[in-house]
Amino acid sequence: LVLVHVDPRENVPPPPHPSPPSPPSQPPLCPCVVERQISSSGDDVEIEGGVFESGSSDLEFGKDGSAKNDVWLRFNDLQVPLYSSILTAHLEFTVDEDDSGSMNVTIRAEAADDAAAFSTAADIASRALTSGSVGWVITDSWFNDQDKSTPELASLVQEVVSRAGWAAGNSVVFTISGSGERTVESVDG
């Protein structure tokens, strides 16, 4: 689940010509919350030791056993207007397995106007990522069925929705990679 708190009134470039006032029947733009869940098993995938995997019942951040495991998440139909000011954003997960020890991962977004569906490991490896990233260090134990959230991701979402080709309704992708291990439910879990 991605939660984005957005104020579409902020950071909008001025129009090139004065625009007429909006008709009174339209509600004024206001800060809002946009929530989206992964919509299909093809939208939460893992690259485990270089191999593309979709349809798993869980997602391992960092490592799966001894293999490096990168998680890729695609959220569709994100109704955030171009140049909106992103106030807060984070991902929410439900823990699938008890895990302890430290985990140190980096979260980035895909630098794309409208992130395409995943197809292969080569397709994913060729995708450009945002210049910004967010570190996520976990030292506490996680237990099955707990709800967990990432650190603040507003800067990553801001970088994507500030791209000239972004439009409300487009898709955004996040990737999580690093070391250690934590396991969460997938859309199929």
Side-chain angles (χ1 to χ4, degrees):
L1 173 70
V2 64
L3 290 172
V4 179
H5 296 239
V6 59
D7 189 343
R9 301 172 296 183
E10 301 292 325
N11 290 344
V12 176
H17 305 287
S19 57
S22 298
S25 61
Q26 290 182 334
L29 295 174
C30 62
C32 58
V33 176
V34 176
E35 295 183 23
R36 286 294 176 269
Q37 292 185 338
I38 298 289
S39 55
S40 75
S41 60
D43 288 333
D44 60 356
V45 302
E46 298 170 290
I47 303 297
E48 183 180 344
V51 177
F52 178 87
E53 296 185 8
S54 68
S56 175
S57 64
D58 59 22
L59 304 169
E60 284 85 13
F61 301 146
K63 291 172 76 174
D64 185 2
S66 62
K68 180 178 180 351
N69 199 65
D70 296 338
V71 172
W72 291 74
L73 307 167
R74 181 171 180 255
F75 296 91
N76 300 309
D77 192 30
L78 204 63
Q79 292 296 325
V80 176
L82 176 65
Y83 301 121
S84 292
S85 180
I86 305 303
L87 305 175
T88 64
H90 62 274
L91 304 175
E92 294 182 350
F93 302 99
T94 300
V95 175
D96 187 56
E97 297 175 8
D98 296 351
D99 282 309
S100 61
S102 64
M103 180 189 81
N104 186 350
V105 295
T106 300
I107 304 169
R108 295 180 77 185
E110 183 181 351
D113 299 337
D114 188 11
F118 305 125
S119 61
T120 65
D123 156 59
I124 289 176
S126 70
R127 294 180 183 221
L129 299 177
T130 52
S131 59
S133 64
V134 173
W136 190 12
V137 177
I138 298 171
T139 56
D140 62 316
S141 295
W142 282 15
F143 299 100
N144 194 40
D145 293 328
Q146 285 181 319
D147 291 327
K148 297 291 183 174
S149 294
T150 64
E152 182 58 58
L153 303 178
S155 63
L156 302 181
V157 177
Q158 188 69 66
E159 192 173 335
V160 173
V161 304
S162 294
R163 296 174 58 87
W166 174 263
N170 285 2
S171 298
V172 65
V173 161
F174 296 94
T175 181
I176 302 171
S177 64
S179 62
E181 184 176 347
R182 291 297 186 275
T183 306
V184 299
E185 295 282 346
S186 75
V187 71
D188 297 308

